[in-house]
């Protein structure tokens, strides 16, 4: 089966700034209980995905394009670039900011904690 991605635009995602574009690659149903999101996420210039906690799941990011700032659970801020992988542990919090003038593009995968179904 071939189909198009489902694209949604979410303003102030998780309390962040701007409107984030989310291109859903797989739906929750297609993830078969293993996770709740697999998506190509585009954070426009001067926008962010707000600081939030992951309860019973985790969300690794893979940076495709652009430069941004990953805000880790402890509040530390690290510059991220294409090829970087950002990970958090179940129960931790994080945010991503794009202070630059070009879009920041990432792949995001929300994975359920072992034995937990969404």
């Amino acid at each position: 089966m071939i189909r198009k991605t489902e694209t949604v635009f979410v303003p102030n995602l998780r309390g962040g700034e701007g409107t984030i574009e989310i291109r859903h690659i797989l739906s929750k149903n297609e993830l078969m209980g293993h996770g709740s999101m697999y998506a190509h996420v585009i954070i426009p210039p001067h926008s962010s995905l707000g600081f939030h906690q992951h309860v019973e799941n985790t969300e690794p990011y893979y940076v495709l394009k652009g430069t941004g700032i990953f805000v880790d659970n402890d509040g530390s801020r690290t510059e991220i670039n294409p090829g970087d992988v950002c990970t958090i542990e179940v129960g931790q919090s994080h945010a991503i900011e794009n202070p630059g003038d070009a879009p920041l593009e990432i792949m995001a995968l929300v994975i359920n904690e072992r034995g937990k179904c969404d």
Side-chain angles (χ1 to χ4, degrees):
M1 172 177 81
I2 305 295
R3 63 165 171 70
K4 300 290 184 190
T5 58
E6 176 193 342
T7 301
V8 295
F9 294 87
V10 183
N12 310 109
L13 185 60
R14 304 286 191 172
E17 298 294 323
T19 298
I20 308 301
E21 180 179 348
I22 303 174
R23 298 175 181 173
H24 291 278
I25 296 166
L26 294 177
S27 69
K28 267 187 180 181
N29 286 341
E30 291 169 317
L31 287 165
M32 300 180 291
H34 298 285
S36 59
M37 186 177 80
Y38 176 41
H40 177 185
V41 178
I42 301 171
I43 303 171
H46 311 289
S47 297
S48 63
L49 193 158
F51 196 74
H52 63 283
Q53 183 180 29
H54 282 266
V55 177
E56 297 183 347
N57 63 37
T58 184
E59 184 178 23
Y61 295 113
Y62 177 72
V63 182
L64 298 168
K65 188 175 182 182
T67 299
I69 302 293
F70 181 78
V71 182
D72 213 334
N73 188 63
D74 62 3
S76 62
R77 302 167 61 80
T78 305
E79 183 176 293
I80 54 175
N81 297 285
D84 288 345
V85 177
C86 308
T87 61
I88 60 165
E89 294 180 21
V90 173
Q92 291 187 335
S93 300
H94 68 102
I96 293 186
E97 301 171 357
N98 180 3
D101 294 325
L104 172 61
E105 299 188 27
I106 59 176
M107 293 300 296
L109 176 61
V110 177
I111 304 166
N112 291 334
E113 184 176 9
R114 185 179 312 275
K116 307 285 183 180
C117 288
D118 204 49

